[in-house]
């Protein structure tokens, strides 16, 4: 493992300058500080703070995901992660990020500068700068619902294939044949997997897939108004939604169009957020155990930090049947 002296020799500068660069001192230039950090990352340097067992700290980087109250998707994931971290005497910092932050400083440099042993990334899209840097990172990192082929990077989530199959089978057993899928945003691995899962499940139950009944929206209720009318015109009797928030928008739009759920259209969500029990009608949905996802993410990160390369951890989903689904009209 590289030392401060090794970095100084490589750059041809004083050991004290390297130390200042690594510790964020104000009396060296920003360019020199960044050069020191980049060289330290390249040489595999780890600070004494990071190396010292029992003084470990990690972070959760969050982008495009709400997590501050219990009604939001990320809340219980963060809670689960923090619960496991507390049991292992590990400090956790939750850091909201954006594209500007990602372009200002490289991922590995940021982690080294702040003394983080590893991180859990929530809400990142495949095209984000930090995601592209993870192909070569040596920083232990866990992703939610995304996969990067790197031994230092793991993937935690819910088995989407199983989850979508539970939804399709439930609707099939109610006699539905013309089933629509209102999926999430395109720039997501989980969106692609759920699309494939839907195709496979429809084929498994000998149901015809109508391309006009498949659409990509966003994980917000407002996207429903752009697609529900088209689904109705193309003969859909049931809609599988990629999230409970999308499902809430679908139910609202069906009500606006004078349609009754589930008499005219059955609706299935995904996540089992608290909102699912308070919709009218209450929402049938595929439950993700988000606290367990957070706990699993921390356990995976601990193993990665210890040098154990874990590729993927998938939790089993559960179908929660409520009042938004019924027999095919």
């Amino acid at each position: 493992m590289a030392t401060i002296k090794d970095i100084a020799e490589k750059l041809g500068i004083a050991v004290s300058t390297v130390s200042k660069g690594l510790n964020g001192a104000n009396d060296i230039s920003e360019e020199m500080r960044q050069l020191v950090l980049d060289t330290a990352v390249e040489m595999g340097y780890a600070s004494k703070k990071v190396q010292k067992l029992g003084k470990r700290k990690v972070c959760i980087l969050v982008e495009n995901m709400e997590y501050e109250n219990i009604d939001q998707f990320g809340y219980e994931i963060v809670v689960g992660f923090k619960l496991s971290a507390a049991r292992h005497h590990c400090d956790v910092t939750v850091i909201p990020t954006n594209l500007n932050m990602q372009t200002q400083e490289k991922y590995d440099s940021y982690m080294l500068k702040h003394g983080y042993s590893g991180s859990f990334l929530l809400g990142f899209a495949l095209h984000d700068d930090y995601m592209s840097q993870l192909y070569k990172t040596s920083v232990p990192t866990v992703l939610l619902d995304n996969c990067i082929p790197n031994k230092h990077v793991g993937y935690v989530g819910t088995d989407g294939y199983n989850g979508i199959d539970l939804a399709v089978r439930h609707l099939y057993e109610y006699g539905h044949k013309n089933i629509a899928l209102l999926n999430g945003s395109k720039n997501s691995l989980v969106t692609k997997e759920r699309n494939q899962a839907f195709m496979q499940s429809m084929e498994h139950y000998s149901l015809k897939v109508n391309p006009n009944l498949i659409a990509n929206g966003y994980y917000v209720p407002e996207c429903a108004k752009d697609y529900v009318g088209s689904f109705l015109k193309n003969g859909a009797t049931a809609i599988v939604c990629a999230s409970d928030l999308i499902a809430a928008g679908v139910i609202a739009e069906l009500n606006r169009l004078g349609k009754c759920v589930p008499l005219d259209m059955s609706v299935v969500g995904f996540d089992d957020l608290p909102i699912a029990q308070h919709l009218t009608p209450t929402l049938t949905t595929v439950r993700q155990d988000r606290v367990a996802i957070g706990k699993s993410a921390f356990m995976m990160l601990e193993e990665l930090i210890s040098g154990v390369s874990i590729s993927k951890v998938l939790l089993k989903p559960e179908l929660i049947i409520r009042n938004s689904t019924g027999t095919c009209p």
Side-chain angles (χ1 to χ4, degrees):
M1 185 176 292
T3 64
I4 290 180
K5 184 178 179 181
D6 295 331
I7 299 169
E9 289 178 353
K10 182 177 176 78
L11 294 176
I13 59 177
V15 170
S16 60
T17 303
V18 174
S19 180
K20 290 177 181 180
L22 293 173
N23 290 290
N26 295 323
D27 56 345
I28 65 170
S29 69
E30 181 63 24
E31 292 77 11
M32 178 56 72
R33 184 190 69 82
Q34 191 61 53
L35 177 62
V36 169
L37 287 169
D38 289 345
T39 304
V41 168
E42 178 187 335
M43 297 180 69
Y45 171 81
S47 68
K48 290 182 179 179
K49 292 180 182 178
V50 171
Q51 294 178 50
K52 192 173 181 181
L53 200 62
K55 296 291 184 180
R56 185 171 291 166
K57 66 175 186 175
V58 298
C59 63
I60 303 176
L61 299 177
V62 188
E63 182 181 82
N64 296 321
M65 182 181 291
E66 296 178 323
Y67 63 93
E68 294 179 332
N69 70 67
I70 196 168
D71 293 319
Q72 297 171 335
F73 180 79
Y75 179 84
E76 289 186 331
I77 295 176
V78 171
V79 167
F81 189 93
K82 286 184 172 180
L83 285 173
S84 284
R87 294 191 188 102
H88 290 79
H89 309 290
C90 182
D91 292 332
V92 179
T93 306
V94 181
I95 305 167
T97 66
N98 52 48
L99 294 177
N100 185 49
M101 171 184 166
Q102 294 179 48
T103 55
Q104 285 182 341
E105 187 162 36
K106 293 178 182 178
Y107 173 70
D108 284 20
S109 298
Y110 181 87
M111 297 295 288
L112 177 61
K113 182 176 78 172
H114 294 280
Y116 293 122
S117 300
S119 75
F120 181 28
L121 272 58
L122 294 176
F124 282 71
L126 293 172
H127 61 267
D128 287 336
D129 284 354
Y130 275 7
M131 290 293 287
S132 63
Q133 293 173 34
L134 293 182
Y135 287 91
K136 295 183 179 180
T137 189
S138 58
V139 177
T141 306
V142 175
L143 303 176
L144 175 70
D145 290 335
N146 269 315
C147 186
I148 296 291
N150 179 337
K151 68 179 183 178
H152 301 291
V153 181
Y155 160 21
V156 66
T158 298
D159 187 342
Y161 284 89
N162 185 201
I164 293 296
D165 186 68
L166 288 172
V168 172
R169 182 175 67 185
H170 172 64
L171 295 170
Y172 170 76
E173 290 173 347
Y174 270 144
H176 293 276
K177 295 181 179 179
N178 297 319
I179 304 173
L181 172 67
L182 184 46
N183 211 338
S185 53
K186 292 182 179 180
N187 294 318
S188 168
L189 175 66
V190 71
T191 297
K192 296 175 182 178
E193 287 184 344
R194 288 178 186 175
N195 187 75
Q196 293 171 354
F198 181 76
M199 299 286 194
Q200 291 180 11
S201 294
M202 293 288 283
E203 181 180 354
H204 178 75
Y205 299 109
S206 301
L207 300 175
K208 185 178 179 180
V209 175
N210 182 346
N212 295 318
L213 297 183
I214 298 178
N216 286 100
Y218 295 92
Y219 291 102
V220 293
E222 291 75 19
C223 76
K225 66 181 185 296
D226 297 325
Y227 305 104
V228 171
S230 174
F231 288 165
L232 285 168
K233 289 177 183 178
N234 285 280
T237 63
I239 303 174
V240 175
C241 303
S243 77
D244 291 347
L245 294 180
I246 294 174
V250 166
I251 292 174
E253 181 65 11
L254 287 167
N255 289 336
R256 189 186 71 81
L257 295 171
K259 299 297 180 181
C260 180
V261 178
L263 295 180
D264 299 316
M265 180 81 76
S266 287
V267 179
V268 180
F270 205 108
D271 293 334
D272 197 26
L273 295 175
I275 189 179
Q277 300 180 55
H278 302 296
L279 294 174
T280 303
T282 55
L283 183 65
T284 295
T285 187
V286 177
R287 183 171 190 266
Q288 298 196 71
D289 188 337
R290 293 179 298 284
V291 172
I293 288 174
K295 290 180 177 179
S296 298
F298 181 79
M299 289 187 288
M300 173 181 273
L301 187 58
E302 280 283 276
E303 293 300 322
L304 290 170
I305 291 171
S306 300
V308 180
S309 183
I310 300 178
S311 174
K312 184 184 294 188
V313 172
L314 291 181
L315 279 67
K316 287 189 176 182
E318 179 185 2
L319 182 68
I320 306 298
I321 300 174
R322 297 192 180 100
N323 299 324
S324 66
T325 50
T327 54
C328 181

